[in-house]
Amino acid sequence: MDVYEALYTTRMMRRMRKDPVPLETQCRILDAAIRAPNGGNAQRWHFVAVDDPALKSELAELYRKCRQQEYADIAGGALAKTIHDPEEHAATLRRIKASGDYFTEHFADIPLLLFVFSIDDHGGANIYPAIWSTLLAARAEGVGGVITTVLRYEEDTVHKLLGVPTGEGWRMNVMLALGYPLGRWGVAANRRPVHEVAGRNAWGRHFGATVPEPLWAPAAE
């Protein structure tokens, strides 16, 4: 797969088939992920793959509880700040909520949950390249994914469930849900163009070019 195809079409896939992700596919995905750059090659990361049905069911109930807390925070205004058009942002949130509700209701059926942990990570600088590499590698395998931090509302419970050695400083960064998507891959169309979100030499100065349309598009069939 062309690298630009992967970059342009990798998006959050919350609707997945129940089909398991083969172990050899998981190996290729994680083997690509651990090649990600990280400071001093310290490799301060650890991954826990969860596919046990009983454990997934337990995590599903916990996720539902955390999701309710997230909604309460949104309703209370804790997560309401946006730099985008309020009406457009509200419409986006409605779509995300509908997709998120489906994800929550079918959480126990997700084929693979991948928990990502790091230690002494300076705000995620070392772990997020590996997380994104995981999603890009999954895309190359036809596997969709979602990054979620919702379970951090119950971080201590997750740590206990998965036996994380928190006394050594390990903490959960994100959970990735992975599976073969029900939806279609496609270029994200709802992005503000480059010239609106980038400047040159100082904030507020024009970038020097305009990019009204995506610079990559799928080949015509």
Side-chain angles (χ1 to χ4, degrees), residues 52-53 56-60 103-111 113:
D52 177 74
K56 286 197 296 181
S57 292
E58 195 167 358
L59 288 164
F103 180 81
T104 302
E105 292 166 8
H106 295 82
F107 189 97
D109 295 328
I110 296 168
L113 307 177

Side-chain angles (χ1 to χ4, degrees), residues 20-188:
V21 179
L23 183 56
E24 57 269 26
T25 301
Q26 297 180 38
C27 289
R28 287 193 294 270
I29 291 171
L30 279 175
D31 193 52
I34 63 170
R35 310 299 159 183
N38 61 101
N41 196 29
Q43 303 175 56
R44 294 186 289 263
W45 50 45
H46 194 83
F47 307 85
V48 175
V50 174
D51 55 10
D52 177 74
L55 182 53
K56 286 197 296 181
S57 292
E58 195 167 358
L59 288 164
E61 289 304 313
L62 191 62
Y63 190 89
R64 191 182 307 276
K65 177 182 176 182
C66 292
R67 184 79 168 166
Q68 290 172 348
Q69 180 61 53
E70 182 184 50
Y71 285 161
D73 284 347
I74 292 173
L79 304 176
K81 184 178 179 181
T82 177
I83 61 173
H84 306 299
D85 175 76
E87 291 186 9
E88 181 181 344
H89 182 66
T92 298
L93 284 180
R94 285 194 294 272
R95 289 193 297 270
I96 291 174
K97 183 181 183 301
S99 180
D101 288 346
Y102 180 96
F103 180 81
T104 302
E105 292 166 8
H106 295 82
F107 189 97
D109 295 328
I110 296 168
L112 181 65
L113 307 177
L114 186 65
F115 288 83
V116 185
F117 302 88
S118 65
I119 186 170
D120 187 27
D121 192 31
H122 305 287
N126 292 301
I127 195 61
Y128 275 95
I131 291 169
W132 187 234
S133 288
T134 300
L135 290 174
L136 289 174
R139 172 68 184 93
E141 297 284 344
V143 174
V146 176
I147 301 174
T148 176
T149 59
V150 172
L151 282 170
R152 291 175 70 174
Y153 281 105
E154 291 287 342
E155 183 180 37
D156 290 343
T157 304
V158 173
H159 288 161
K160 290 177 182 177
L161 280 172
L162 301 183
V164 180
T166 55
E168 299 175 12
W170 290 96
R171 294 291 183 273
M172 177 176 64
N173 293 91
V174 303
M175 186 203 81
L176 301 178
L178 299 172
Y180 295 99
L182 290 170
R184 300 176 61 184
W185 306 103
V187 178

